[in-house]
Amino acid sequence: MDTDDPLWGALDRVAETPRLLVACAFDGALAPDEGDPAGARAEQVSSEALNVLVALADTTVAVVSDRPLDEVAELMFLSGAKGGLRAVAPEGLGALRDEVGATALVAVGVAVTGTSADVVVGVGEELGPGSPYEVEDVDEVAELLEELAGLRRSI
C-alpha cells in the first residue's frame, strides 16, 4: 500500500465507518470484460477478499449486475459465504444502501452519486471521467479489496 496515494487514504478512512456497503460491478471490475459474458469468471483474489468482507460485522457486500444472484454466486466462487452476498441491479444500489443503513459506500466500477463519506472507484476507462479514484484493471481491484478487507478486519 502506498500511504501517499489518495485512494489508500480514502480506504483507510472509510474502513472505520459504522456500517459499510461494498458494491462492485461484476463485469469489468471483478471479472475481466473480454467480450464473452457466459465465460466471465471473477478473479480468485477478489472473491477471497469479498468472502472476508461478507463475514465481517456491519459490512454488506453487493455485486452489481443484471445477472441473477445464483449465477453471480457461481461465477464468484463464493463457497461458504453465498448466504451473505447481495446481488443488485445498478438502479437498486440506493435502495440497498438505505435498507442496510450504510454510513459509507465503497463502489468499484459502479457509477454512483456519492457523498463525502463514500469512495467511488473507476476501473480502466469504464468510469474514468468523474470518478474520484481510479484503478487500472481487475488485478488492481483485487488489491483494493484485499486492502479494504484487512483494514476493516482490524477495526
Side-chain angles (χ1 to χ4, degrees):
M1 172 175 80
D2 179 1
T3 55
D4 293 331
D5 185 319
L7 173 56
W8 298 125
L11 288 178
D12 191 39
R13 172 185 50 80
V14 80
E16 297 180 9
T17 195
R19 292 194 174 275
L20 181 63
L21 173 58
V22 180
C24 297
F26 181 78
D27 294 301
L30 298 174
D33 190 1
E34 297 175 347
D36 178 19
R41 296 289 182 272
E43 293 291 311
Q44 185 68 32
V45 176
S46 292
S47 291
E48 291 169 3
L50 290 177
N51 268 323
V52 171
L53 287 163
V54 163
L56 296 175
D58 299 316
T59 305
T60 301
V61 176
V63 175
V64 181
S65 177
D66 290 320
R67 299 171 186 250
L69 176 59
D70 290 347
E71 181 181 337
V72 170
E74 182 179 319
L75 298 174
M76 291 292 302
F77 309 110
L78 291 172
S79 57
K82 286 182 184 175
L85 177 71
R86 306 290 296 264
V88 63
E91 62 274 6
L93 190 55
L96 177 60
R97 182 182 190 154
D98 293 342
E99 176 190 328
V100 300
T103 51
L105 165 70
V106 174
V108 182
V110 181
V112 297
T113 303
T115 69
S116 61
D118 296 337
V119 177
V120 180
V121 182
V123 180
E125 297 176 11
E126 287 291 310
L127 296 174
S131 294
Y133 306 101
E134 296 180 31
V135 294
E136 186 174 320
D137 56 22
V138 295
D139 292 332
E140 288 190 10
V141 170
E143 184 180 346
L144 178 153
L145 293 173
E146 283 185 310
E147 181 66 22
L148 180 59
L151 290 168
R152 187 81 174 154
R153 187 183 315 163
S154 69
I155 61 166

